[in-house]
C-alpha cells in the first residue's frame, strides 16, 4: 500500500445514474492536490473496522489541471467485494484517504485519438476527452451503455460534439460497429478502450482483425483476466532478490508478493490483481510467466514484472526490487 495517504473530504455527491455515484474530493488541509494527466487513477482507502482497511483503485474523471478537487465515479457492483458498497455509503463531509495519482493509461503523442468506453469505463476516457479539449487534440469518443439511464457522467458529457453514444436499446444502426468507428488502420492514430472485460476484448480483437497494429492499441481493465488467478506450474519456483541475495520458495497457491510480504520484505503493492502497476519490478534473470493486465508487450520485453500476479516459467527468477 502507499506509504503516504492524502486526507480528503467529500464535498459533493451526485448519483449520475441509479448505480453510479460521483464524488468530489477536496484536500482536508486545503493544500493543492498532486498534478496528474488524463488516464490516472488513485488508491482509495476505505477503513472498515479499527486495524483493517479496504483499498480500491478508481480513475480520476475531473477536469484537466484541477488541483483543488479530484472527481471519481463508482459503479455499485452487483457482486461487490466491499469497495463499491463502501464508496456508495460515503456522504458529504466524510473523510477519505487517497494515494497520489498513478498512470498506466496515458494519452500518446498521436495526431488523432479514438476513445472507446463501455459502461463505467467512461471515467478515464472522459478525463482524456477533457484534456484533449484543453489542448486542441483531435479525437472521437464512442460511449456504449445499456440505455440512456445508464449513461454515467451525463451532466458533463451532454451535448458534447465529439461524443458518439451507442445504446443497447436503440435501433441496430445506432449500436457500435467497429469497422465504421475505427476506419482504416492508421499509425498516426491511437486507440484507447476501457470497460468490462468482454467489451475490451471485443474492441481490441476487432481492431486487430481490421489490421490495426498492436503498438497503437491501449487498454485499461478494472478487473483481472482469469489467467492472473491461475496457479503456477509444478511445485512452484524460487524468487531471488538481487539487492540482498535472499531466496524464497513461491508455492503454486501463493504469489511472489505474498511470499515477499510474509518474509518481511518491503515490497510495494496496491490492487494485488495485476491491474494497477504499483508492484512492478524488474526481472534480472529467469523466464517470467506474465499474467498481469497492466504492462504492454514492450514493457514485458524490457524486463518489467508484476509481483502480485505474474509467475515464473523457469525454476527460479531474480528480481531487482
Amino acid at each position: 500500500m502507499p506509504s503516504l495517504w492524502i486526507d480528503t473530504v467529500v464535498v459533493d455527491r451526485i448519483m449520475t445514474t441509479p448505480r453510479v455515484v460521483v464524488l468530489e474530493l477536496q484536500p482536508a488541509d486545503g493544500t493543492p492536490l498532486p498534478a496528474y494527466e488524463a488516464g490516472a487513477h488513485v488508491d482509495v482507502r476505505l477503513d472498515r473496522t479499527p486495524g483493517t482497511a479496504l483499498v480500491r483503485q478508481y480513475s480520476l474523471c475531473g477536469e484537466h489541471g484541477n488541483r483543488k478537487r479530484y472527481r471519481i465515479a463508482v459503479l455499485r457492483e452487483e457482486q461487490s467485494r466491499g469497495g463499491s458498497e463502501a464508496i456508495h455509503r460515503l456522504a458529504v463531509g466524510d473523510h477519505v484517504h487517497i494515494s497520489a495519482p498513478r498512470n498506466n493509461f496515458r494519452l500518446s503523442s498521436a495526431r488523432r485519438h479514438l476513445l472507446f468506453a463501455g459502461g463505467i469505463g467512461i471515467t478515464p476516457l472522459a478525463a482524456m476527452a477533457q484534456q484533449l479539449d484543453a489542448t486542441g487534440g483531435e479525437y472521437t469518443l464512442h460511449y456504449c451503455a445499456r440505455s440512456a439511464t445508464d449513461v454515467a457522467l451525463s451532466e458533463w458529457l451532454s451535448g458534447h460534439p465529439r461524443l458518439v453514444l451507442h445504446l443497447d436499446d436503440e435501433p441496430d444502426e445506432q449500436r457500435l460497429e467497429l469497422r465504421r468507428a475505427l476506419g482504416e488502420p492508421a499509425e498516426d492514430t491511437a486507440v484507447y478502450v476501457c470497460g468490462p472485460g468482454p467489451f475490451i476484448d471485443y474492441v481490441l480483437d476487432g481492431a486487430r482483425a481490421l489490421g490495426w497494429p498492436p503498438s497503437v492499441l491501449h487498454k485499461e481493465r478494472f478487473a483481472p483476466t482469469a489467467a492472473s488467478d491461475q496457479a503456477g506450474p509444478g511445485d512452484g519456483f524460487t524468487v531471488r532478490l538481487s539487492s540482498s541475495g535472499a531466496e524464497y520458495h513461491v508455492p503454486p497457491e501463493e504469489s511472489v508478493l505474498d511470499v515477499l510480504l510474509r518474509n518481511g520484505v518491503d515490497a510495494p503493492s496496491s490492487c494485488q490483481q495485476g491491474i494497477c502497476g504499483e508492484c512492478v519490478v524488474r526481472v534480472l534473470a529467469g523466464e517470467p510467466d506474465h499474467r498481469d493486465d497492466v504492462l504492454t508487450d514492450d514493457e514485458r520485453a524490457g524486463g518489467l514484472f508484476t509481483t502480485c500476479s505474474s509467475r515464473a516459467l523457469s525454476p527460479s527468477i531474480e528480481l531487482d526490487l
Side-chain angles (χ1 to χ4, degrees):
M1 293 185 187
S3 58
L4 181 64
W5 292 97
I6 302 169
D7 185 15
T8 67
V9 180
V10 179
V11 293
D12 199 7
R13 182 185 189 279
I14 299 172
M15 290 300 298
T16 187
T17 81
R19 294 178 57 210
V20 175
V21 65
V22 175
L23 299 180
E24 298 272 358
L25 306 176
Q26 188 170 293
D29 61 4
T31 59
L33 291 161
Y36 70 93
E37 295 180 0
H41 65 268
V42 294
D43 292 345
V44 179
R45 194 181 78 192
L46 303 162
D47 297 320
R48 293 183 289 181
T49 58
T52 67
L54 193 67
V55 177
R56 293 290 184 265
Q57 293 74 40
Y58 298 109
S59 297
L60 294 172
C61 55
E63 59 270 27
H64 174 63
N66 189 341
R67 298 182 60 189
K68 296 181 179 180
R69 291 186 178 189
Y70 285 169
R71 179 188 300 148
I72 61 173
V74 180
L75 171 71
R76 182 191 288 112
E77 298 286 354
E78 294 178 356
Q79 296 180 331
S80 172
R81 295 181 295 124
S84 67
E85 288 292 344
I87 287 286
H88 275 253
R89 286 195 296 268
L90 292 172
V92 172
D94 285 347
H95 283 246
V96 183
H97 286 87
I98 65 172
S99 71
R102 293 195 304 275
N103 202 337
N104 304 304
F105 195 44
R106 290 182 175 87
L107 283 166
S108 71
S109 57
R111 181 188 65 82
R112 187 171 65 113
H113 307 266
L114 296 176
L115 315 178
F116 292 88
I120 196 61
I122 187 62
T123 49
L125 299 183
M128 288 183 177
Q130 292 177 79
Q131 182 168 323
L132 290 167
D133 284 337
T135 58
E138 181 182 346
Y139 74 95
T140 302
L141 171 58
H142 294 271
Y143 183 12
C144 299
R146 294 177 181 174
S147 67
T149 58
D150 293 310
V151 175
L153 305 181
S154 57
E155 295 85 352
W156 298 277
L157 294 172
S158 179
H160 197 291
R162 299 190 184 184
L163 172 67
V164 181
L165 194 58
H166 306 276
L167 303 178
D168 290 348
D169 59 0
E170 285 189 343
D172 289 347
E173 61 269 18
Q174 299 297 321
R175 297 184 183 182
L176 178 64
E177 202 286 305
L178 281 179
R179 184 176 296 276
R180 181 171 62 244
L182 286 166
E184 293 297 320
E187 292 189 356
D188 66 349
T189 299
V191 177
Y192 309 81
V193 57
C194 185
F199 175 80
I200 292 176
D201 295 338
Y202 169 72
V203 174
L204 294 181
D205 291 346
R208 296 187 190 103
L210 291 170
W212 284 79
S215 60
V216 305
L217 304 179
H218 308 274
K219 71 180 186 303
E220 181 166 76
R221 295 185 186 272
F222 291 153
T225 58
S228 63
D229 296 327
Q230 297 170 1
D235 296 324
F237 56 95
T238 298
V239 61
R240 183 177 189 272
L241 304 185
S242 62
S243 58
S244 64
E247 295 186 349
Y248 307 103
H249 177 68
V250 182
E253 68 275 9
E254 288 190 281
S255 69
V256 173
L257 179 63
D258 290 335
V259 171
L260 295 178
L261 295 177
R262 177 162 52 80
N263 284 278
V265 177
D266 184 17
S269 68
S270 183
C271 75
Q272 301 188 14
Q273 300 180 88
I275 58 175
C276 80
E278 176 69 6
C279 72
V280 170
V281 298
R282 189 168 296 279
V283 176
L284 300 180
E287 184 180 1
D289 178 11
H290 293 290
R291 302 185 177 196
D292 65 274
D293 282 306
V294 65
L295 297 176
T296 65
D297 290 342
D298 287 344
E299 289 171 333
R300 292 176 176 181
L304 297 187
F305 178 87
T306 55
T307 61
C308 75
S309 59
S310 296
R311 304 186 67 80
L313 295 173
S314 51
S316 65
I317 191 168
E318 182 175 357
L319 302 179
D320 181 13
L321 195 61

